Amino acid sequence: MARRYDSSTTTFSPEGRLHQVEYAIEAINNAGTSVGILAKDGVVMASEKKVTSGLLAPARTSEKTYKLCPHATCTVAGLTADANILIDQARLRAGRYAYQYQEPIPIENLVEHVCNYKQAYTQYGGLRPFGVAFLFAGYDIHHGFQLYQSDPSGNYSGWKATVIGANNQAGKSLLKTEYGSSSSSGDEMKTDEDPAKEEIEMPTTAEALRLAVKVLNKTMDGAAASPEKLELFAMTLDEDGNCVHKILNAKEVEAVIAEVESETATAGDT
């Protein structure tokens, strides 16, 4: 029955499903893993770099993390070519907003614009959904540091910590135990939780980097972590209140990996 409805993005199946959108989401679940963690003093994002061939020349710029504007960055999981179209849309929207209103665009406003663009590709005939998911990290004066996740359907949500890409469920399971208190609902890391509940204590940026490496260690199917396989990014504020975007170099990544291995060894001894 599904085969009668899976060739169109505009036709619902009798079960109320859009199969092409679900297929796009499934494609992302086979992409390299990306982790986003909200910290007290910034936002941390970590990504798995998949090396398809040793003959490929090293990339001169990041293929996972993209700067959208001075106060916003995104990490990609899925088809990079599709992501480039949406990244251009986000940069254009941020620039036009700054020109029109003479102030930086609020982060959720930027995320909503990109997601509206993605949703349109699930509603009109002759188009296919974008096969890419994003983690958006940013800072604005209204809500401070923020982390959002979006998928090909056009939905987005705010998170304190989340994982997209391959083995994301395993990564989220680890975050539930390592980041704040756990609950049976599975949504304890979302930022729209009941304010009456106990506040989750956020880690520092350094602690978030170590936690991100732990998550990637679990999602990479036993492959040993190394600077060639991981990309770590941190967004913080400088003394003047400006956002600082930093992709850690190989030595810094190696140092974080060594700290995680030391913590793991110590925990094993106890």
Side-chain angles (χ1 to χ4, degrees):
M1 177 66 74
R3 292 298 177 187
R4 295 173 53 187
Y5 301 95
D6 65 356
S7 62
S8 172
T9 59
T10 59
T11 305
F12 285 97
S13 72
E15 296 83 17
R17 298 161 60 185
L18 292 172
H19 291 285
Q20 284 295 316
V21 176
E22 294 182 10
Y23 296 158
I25 294 173
E26 189 60 31
I28 293 163
N29 291 336
N30 297 322
T33 311
S34 294
V35 185
I37 300 175
L38 204 57
K40 294 177 182 178
D41 51 346
V43 185
V44 165
M45 294 194 292
S47 303
E48 175 189 358
K49 295 191 292 185
K50 290 197 172 183
V51 180
T52 57
S53 172
L55 299 177
L56 285 172
R60 292 179 175 82
T61 58
S62 172
E63 296 179 344
K64 296 290 291 185
T65 306
Y66 297 85
K67 184 177 180 180
L68 303 177
C69 56
H71 64 295
T73 301
C74 70
T75 294
V76 173
L79 302 178
T80 305
D82 285 13
N84 288 337
I85 302 297
L86 296 170
I87 289 168
D88 287 345
Q89 284 291 320
R91 289 169 174 169
L92 189 62
R93 172 60 179 167
R96 285 175 171 171
Y97 187 99
Y99 177 79
Q100 183 175 3
Y101 298 105
Q102 297 299 302
E103 66 178 23
I105 185 172
I107 301 303
E108 187 169 1
N109 190 316
L110 180 61
V111 174
E112 183 179 7
H113 174 79
V114 175
C115 290
N116 287 343
Y117 193 87
K118 291 206 290 186
Q119 192 276 335
Y121 275 68
T122 70
Q123 194 169 357
Y124 301 107
L127 306 174
R128 69 162 176 81
F130 288 95
V132 62
F134 288 100
L135 292 179
F136 293 96
Y139 175 86
D140 60 43
I141 60 175
H142 306 288
H143 302 290
F145 287 105
Q146 298 156 69
L147 175 68
Y148 293 92
Q149 173 188 342
S150 76
D151 61 37
S153 68
N155 287 324
Y156 72 91
S157 53
W159 292 78
K160 289 185 172 70
T162 189
V163 185
I164 58 175
N167 296 328
N168 61 80
Q169 291 301 323
K172 288 178 181 178
S173 297
L174 180 60
L175 285 175
K176 289 175 186 177
T177 59
E178 296 283 343
Y179 191 107
S181 60
S182 62
S183 71
S184 59
S185 67
D187 290 333
E188 71 282 357
M189 293 178 292
K190 281 195 174 182
T191 57
D192 56 356
E193 62 185 325
D194 185 353
K197 294 182 180 178
E198 183 180 354
E199 285 292 325
I200 296 176
E201 183 177 355
M202 294 184 181
T204 63
T205 302
E207 293 169 342
L209 285 169
R210 293 195 293 271
L211 177 54
V213 171
K214 287 182 183 178
V215 173
L216 289 179
N217 277 338
K218 186 168 185 178
T219 60
M220 289 196 305
D221 294 329
S226 67
E228 293 76 26
K229 296 179 181 178
L230 301 183
E231 179 177 289
L232 301 181
F233 167 87
M235 175 188 286
T236 54
L237 294 179
D238 62 14
E239 296 178 354
D240 298 325
N242 299 317
C243 285
V244 177
H245 304 244
K246 182 178 181 180
I247 297 177
L248 276 63
N249 60 38
K251 289 185 178 179
E252 292 169 327
V253 174
E254 188 65 48
V256 176
I257 293 173
E259 290 176 6
V260 172
E261 291 176 348
S262 177
E263 286 183 7
T264 303
T266 303
D269 293 339
T270 57

